[in-house]
């Protein structure tokens, strides 16, 4: 074991005890997802490159391809949550990854035979997106059935660290694979990663509780409405949703403005922008590693609003960056954003998993994701409009301040009077009103 790996293991042990490191089933799930996340990050680079280089796609066509990858979340997230709650989540995850292996794997095959088209890439993006919706909803709902309730913060921290690491290393790996094997060859790595994930999930021995029997005459619409009623009728969950959706709205603005700010305002060379933007991923990795330790010290409920209002406050220094050495303020602020966002996401996800009955877990996760992801593209458009009307730097100040201010939603909630989240979900699904 390398010194770095030993240090990381020690951090996990000191934070939450060694149980997860010795739990075979969780380690299988985590390792398989790590490989899959890296593969997906490679495809995020390789697929647009394939469209631009091999198929001579226009800017508009590449934009459509990017939009196609997330279209499914807006369209089918709610019905997917209702379907997941009525089926074995482990089986859904296996089927989704097998399908993604075939779907993504069709791209290098078609390229090898010279029959790849933009139409196929659009179909691949949409179909893989549909599988991702079902997989992600099942995945978030499956973790609580695999581990103890008091290990949720630790588990979500480890899984979050994996995502941040993929964001940091995936694009670089993707660029290297494109250079060695071409864009189509790099996509093959993603297909192989799904095979690894399938094998890891198949190796899990723990079996989840079978879903409860549903009335034969119960409609899909009723099941969706039941999930929405639970989320928005819960005095804390609806504030968590409002906080996350608002933060994502302003995060969409920062994402739209960041590259323009770096190149046109700070005059950063394009070759260095990727290195500067990596600050967010580095902060995210740190947030994933230390979220459990911070939650134990400060309280797993209190950390939700502290991460938003205290940890994220210094992120505004990014908007104060200036040319020359002052440009370093941007990756500093960007890293603080990644750190605080990761701690918040781990804490609020663990809270949601703790208070939601198992029979509503899929619908809860789908409803939350449907709302909070929906504000991202709106924020991107808003960032472009405000950057044009009031200037890039003023719009960036507004975006960072707005993302920080979203934390007041969770501060002015019952969370302010709680130290820790409950360890077990209620047996039924009562609607809590404020």
């Amino acid at each position: 074991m390398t010194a770095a790996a030993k240090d990381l293991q020690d951090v996990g042990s000191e934070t939450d005890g060694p149980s997860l490191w010795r739990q075979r089933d969780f380690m299988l799930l985590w390792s398989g997802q790590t490989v899959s996340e890296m593969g997906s990050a490679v495809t995020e680079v390789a697929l647009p490159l394939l469209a631009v280089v091999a198929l001579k796609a226009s800017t508009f066509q590449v934009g459509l391809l990017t939009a196609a990858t997330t279209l499914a979340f807006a369209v089918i997230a709610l019905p997917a949550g209702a379907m997941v709650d009525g089926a074995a989540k482990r089986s859904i995850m296996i089927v989704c990854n097998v399908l993604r292996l075939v779907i993504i794997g069709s791209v290098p095959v078609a390229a090898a035979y010279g029959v790849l088209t933009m139409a196929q890439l659009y179909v691949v993006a949409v179909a893989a997106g549909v599988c991702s919706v079902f997989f992600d909803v099942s995945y978030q709902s499956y973790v609580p059935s695999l581990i103890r309730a008091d290990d949720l913060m630790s588990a979500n921290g480890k899984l979050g660290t994996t995502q941040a690491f993929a964001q940091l290393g995936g694009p670089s790996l993707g660029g290297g694979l494109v250079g060695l094997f071409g864009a189509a060859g790099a996509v093959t790595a993603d297909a192989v990663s799904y095979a690894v994930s399938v094998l890891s999930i198949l190796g899990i021995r723990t079996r989840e509780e079978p879903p409860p029997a549903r009335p034969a005459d119960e409609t899909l619409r009723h099941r969706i409405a039941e999930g929405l009623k639970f989320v928005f009728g819960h005095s804390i969950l609806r504030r968590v949703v409002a906080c996350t959706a608002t933060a994502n709205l302003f995060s969409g603005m920062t994402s739209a403005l960041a590259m323009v700010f770096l190149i046109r305002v700070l005059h950063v060379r394009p070759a260095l922008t990727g290195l500067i933007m990596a600050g967010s991923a580095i902060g995210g990795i740190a947030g994933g590693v230390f979220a459990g330790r911070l939650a134990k010290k400060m309280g797993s409920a209190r950390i939700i609003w502290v991460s938003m209002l205290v940890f994220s406050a210094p992120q505004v220094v990014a908007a104060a960056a200036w040319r020359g050495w002052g440009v370093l303020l941007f990756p500093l602020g960007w890293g603080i954003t990644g750190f605080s966002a990761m701690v918040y996401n781990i804490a609020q996800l663990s809270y949601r998993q703790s208070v939601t009955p198992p029979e509503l877990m899929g619908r809860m996760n789908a409803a939350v994701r449907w709302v909070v992801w929906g504000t991202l593209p709106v924020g991107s458009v808003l960032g472009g409009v405000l950057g044009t009307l009031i200037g890039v730097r003023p719009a960036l100040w507004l975006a960072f301040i707005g993302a920080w201010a979203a934390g007041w939603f969770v501060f002015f909630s019952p969370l302010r009077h709680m130290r820790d989240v409950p360890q077990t979900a209620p047996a039924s699904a009562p609607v809590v009103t404020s």
Side-chain angles (χ1 to χ4, degrees):
M1 179 182 293
T2 65
K6 181 66 166 60
D7 289 343
L8 183 57
Q9 182 168 0
D10 288 342
V11 167
S13 300
E14 291 170 8
T15 301
D16 47 69
S19 58
L20 286 180
W21 292 100
R22 293 203 301 257
Q23 189 183 121
R24 174 185 175 276
D25 287 345
F26 175 76
M27 293 304 293
L28 277 172
L29 180 69
W30 186 24
S31 59
Q33 189 62 8
T34 298
V35 175
S36 179
E37 290 277 0
M38 288 296 292
S40 297
V42 168
T43 294
E44 287 179 12
V45 173
L47 207 61
L49 278 176
L50 187 60
V52 172
V53 176
L55 301 179
K56 311 300 180 185
S58 67
T59 302
F60 178 71
Q61 287 176 314
V62 175
L64 285 180
L65 182 62
T66 302
T69 61
T70 57
L71 177 65
F73 284 97
V75 177
I76 66 165
L78 291 178
M83 295 175 190
V84 164
D85 277 339
K89 298 166 184 62
R90 176 176 175 271
S91 299
I92 293 176
M93 291 159 61
I94 292 172
V95 170
C96 287
N97 273 349
V98 169
L99 289 175
R100 287 194 288 189
L101 187 158
V102 174
I103 293 166
I104 297 296
S106 71
V107 172
V109 171
Y113 284 96
V115 294
L116 184 66
T117 63
M118 281 302 300
Q120 180 179 346
L121 290 187
Y122 291 139
V123 171
V124 165
V126 172
V130 170
C131 293
S132 294
V133 170
F134 278 93
F135 182 90
D136 289 354
V137 172
S138 301
Y139 182 62
Q140 288 189 342
S141 306
Y142 179 66
V143 171
S145 69
L146 195 64
I147 61 174
R148 300 176 307 177
D150 55 1
D151 283 332
L152 279 176
M153 277 291 296
S154 174
N156 288 324
K158 290 172 172 58
L159 296 169
T161 302
T162 291
Q163 294 173 346
F165 181 76
Q167 292 171 5
L168 178 64
S172 299
L173 177 61
L177 290 174
V178 169
L180 289 173
F181 306 108
V187 173
T188 306
D190 193 13
V192 173
S193 76
Y194 289 125
V196 173
S197 181
V198 168
L199 293 175
S200 70
I201 298 172
L202 285 171
I204 295 174
R205 296 170 181 166
T206 304
R207 294 295 178 264
E208 61 195 291
E209 291 291 328
R214 312 293 301 189
D217 59 346
E218 186 178 53
T219 63
L220 182 63
R221 178 179 296 181
H222 178 269
R223 297 182 67 189
I224 292 173
E226 192 177 27
L228 289 171
K229 184 179 179 182
F230 173 75
V231 171
F232 292 104
H234 194 290
S235 61
I236 295 178
L237 284 182
R238 68 168 173 264
R239 286 173 173 82
V240 168
V241 171
C243 174
T244 310
T246 303
N248 280 355
L249 174 73
F250 289 103
S251 294
M253 288 180 60
T254 59
S255 297
L257 294 165
M259 199 63 71
V260 177
F261 181 67
L262 287 173
I263 293 176
R264 296 183 180 172
V265 178
L266 302 184
H267 299 281
V268 175
R269 286 181 292 173
L272 296 177
T273 56
L275 182 62
I276 292 174
M277 299 288 283
S280 178
I282 294 172
I285 292 172
V289 170
F290 292 105
R293 174 179 294 179
L294 290 168
K296 285 199 170 185
K297 185 176 181 64
M298 305 182 66
S300 56
R302 187 179 298 149
I303 197 71
I304 295 176
W305 62 264
V306 169
S307 61
M308 291 296 295
L309 293 178
V310 179
F311 294 166
S312 74
Q315 68 182 333
V316 296
V317 301
W322 66 88
R323 294 176 63 179
W325 286 106
V327 75
L328 295 177
L329 287 177
F330 192 89
L332 174 62
W334 211 238
I336 291 170
T337 298
F339 177 85
S340 58
M342 181 61 72
V343 174
Y344 169 77
N345 283 331
I346 291 168
Q348 62 89 12
L349 175 58
S350 301
Y351 176 81
R352 284 160 41 200
Q353 292 170 333
S354 296
V355 301
T356 303
E359 66 271 16
L360 279 170
M361 195 71 72
R363 281 169 286 176
M364 178 277 294
N365 285 320
V368 171
R369 179 159 291 197
W370 177 65
V371 176
V372 303
W373 280 43
T375 58
L376 283 168
V378 177
S380 297
V381 174
L382 184 60
V385 172
L386 290 177
T388 302
L389 294 177
I390 67 175
V392 175
R393 189 187 294 272
L396 200 58
W397 276 108
L398 179 62
F400 280 121
I401 293 171
W404 167 81
W408 292 107
F409 280 110
V410 285
F411 180 80
F412 290 112
S413 78
L415 282 174
R416 189 170 76 257
H417 307 293
M418 299 167 57
R419 185 187 189 279
D420 294 296
V421 301
Q423 294 299 314
T424 57
S428 57
V431 175
V432 182
T433 58
S434 58

